[in-house]
Amino acid sequence: MQIEALKDLLAQPKYIVITSHRNPDGDAIGSSLGLYHYLKKGGHHVQVMFPSEFPDFVAFLPDAETIKIHDDDPDGCNLLLEAADIIFCLDYNALHRVDTMGEVIAAQDCTKVLIDHHLEPEAFADFTLSETTASSTSELIYDFVKLMGDEDKLDATIGECLFTGILTDTGSFKYSTSAKLFRTVAELTDLGVDNYTLQDKIFNSLEEKNLRLLGHCLYNRMEILDDYKTGIITLSKKDYEYFDIQRGDTEGIVNYLLKLKNVKCAAFIKQQPNVVKISLRSKGDFSVQEIAQKYFKGGGHRNASGGHTFKGLRKTVEILKEVLPEYKEELNKE
Ligand code: 5GP
Ligand code: MN
């Protein structure tokens, strides 16, 4: 499908569902709500839908309270998906990333639009905007609005959502930046988005327990494997109970490992109720995407990937440690 056909389709009001991935992060929410506010201006009926609940730190975004969670009401959500003329799939590259919601999306013969920046996008959509060098899907939503010839529809509300996704996916302009991204950010600033105010809302909203949890992770749960320039932080089921860890509470902890001069690869391994989740991060040319894909049924980007196992916390740490020798040379390359 070409952009002109999509423009024609969007020329009349449509029923649109915007979906993003499980455990939605700042970019999933920012890109979805940014697109939502843009499409609303075109007179469309728009619903944002995620497989699972989003973290509190993005609840301030305009209309976040209208988002539907598939886990909470699968039947109601499926009806909305079935009624949609267009389904947007944002910030994920394959339908299995959205679990049962993906099966329902696959079963619909409506128009599907994929906008994403992850490696190896699946070809399931009628229209795909995939740019793996983009900082975030939010950056791509900005490009998409321009592609649609609707630059004049951009405003501070849309800007605030997109700026949020850019901030969270780039770690406040540290990762995956480009001259083009900074130009986009400048244009978002022109729309009236204030960088400081937004960063304050997003990043300075922790509760006391979050900071204590971070201290616990760094003091009691961190292991550094000097030979492999790798740092590991683990969180057990007991830690989850003791700190009453909720969605979003562990956000960003993995990045602290990268502050170590001698660490190139960081792993954060969490024992969640039904699954062990692994978050992988790296510096420079070292890619964690292959490790996530080959050994942890996951994927993502070169410097930020994730995956999972059903093998328990200790065994998952063991798997990672068994895998590292394969990458020893690369990790020790200057
Ligand atoms: P996080 O560690 O923050 O959960 O995820 C980091 C990156 O890896 C994100 O871009 C996310 O999309 C990707 N990712 C995380 N978990 C999975 C997974 O289970 N499968 C795939 N394909 N990608 C994942
Ligand atoms: Mn993203």
Side-chain angles (χ1 to χ4, degrees), residues 36-240:
Y36 160 94
H37 286 289
Y38 157 66
L39 291 171
K40 290 278 271 192
K41 281 189 152 179
H44 304 287
H45 185 280
V46 195
Q47 178 65 55
V48 175
M49 187 184 294
F50 300 141
S52 64
E53 192 58 77
F54 55 86
D56 283 344
F57 73 89
V58 283
F60 72 90
L61 286 173
D63 286 7
E65 70 284 357
T66 68
I67 295 173
K68 288 213 185 321
I69 307 300
H70 195 273
D71 277 356
D72 293 347
D73 177 19
D75 294 342
C77 284
N78 290 345
L79 284 175
L80 289 167
L81 288 167
E82 283 159 16
D85 299 313
I86 307 172
I87 299 175
F88 279 86
C89 305
L90 305 189
D91 204 37
Y92 62 93
N93 55 358
L95 285 176
H96 69 80
R97 293 280 290 132
V98 288
D99 314 323
T100 52
M101 210 171 91
E103 291 164 24
V104 182
I105 296 172
Q108 307 311 313
D109 58 9
C110 67
T111 301
K112 290 161 204 165
V113 181
L114 171 68
I115 305 180
D116 181 46
H117 69 133
H118 292 86
L119 299 169
E120 300 173 1
E122 234 177 39
F124 67 86
D126 302 284
F127 181 83
T128 297
L129 178 60
S130 163
E131 187 50 72
T132 58
T133 59
S135 67
S136 54
T137 300
S138 296
E139 180 184 350
L140 293 175
I141 296 296
Y142 191 82
D143 297 344
F144 177 72
V145 174
K146 283 191 165 177
L147 266 176
M148 299 298 290
D150 279 334
E151 210 176 328
D152 58 329
K153 287 210 175 81
L154 291 163
D155 61 20
T157 302
I158 298 170
E160 190 177 32
C161 299
L162 301 184
F163 207 117
T164 295
I166 291 169
L167 278 174
T168 54
D169 257 28
T170 62
S172 302
F173 307 124
K174 278 198 290 290
Y175 324 117
S176 317
T177 63
S178 62
K180 176 189 161 276
L181 172 73
F182 285 116
R183 277 193 284 273
T184 299
V185 168
E187 289 173 25
L188 294 176
T189 306
D190 282 338
L191 291 172
V193 185
D194 185 66
N195 176 36
Y196 178 78
T197 309
L198 206 49
Q199 295 225 28
D200 191 45
K201 279 189 198 168
I202 299 168
F203 301 115
N204 299 340
S205 63
L206 294 186
E207 290 172 38
E208 182 182 335
K209 74 163 185 183
N210 296 114
L211 221 46
R212 294 201 186 278
L213 170 64
L214 174 64
H216 172 70
C217 286
L218 301 181
Y219 198 72
N220 303 312
R221 294 285 182 265
M222 182 176 89
E223 187 182 1
I224 305 299
L225 308 170
D226 283 315
D227 288 352
Y228 300 107
K229 299 206 167 167
T230 295
I232 304 174
I233 292 174
T234 52
L235 276 180
S236 66
K237 197 166 160 246
K238 278 204 179 118
D239 294 323
Y240 266 79

Side-chain angles (χ1 to χ4, degrees), residues 119 280-282 284-289 300-305:
L119 299 169
L280 294 163
R281 301 289 186 273
S282 64
D285 291 341
F286 185 72
S287 173
V288 281
Q289 202 261 347
H301 315 273
R302 184 184 64 185
N303 297 120
S305 284

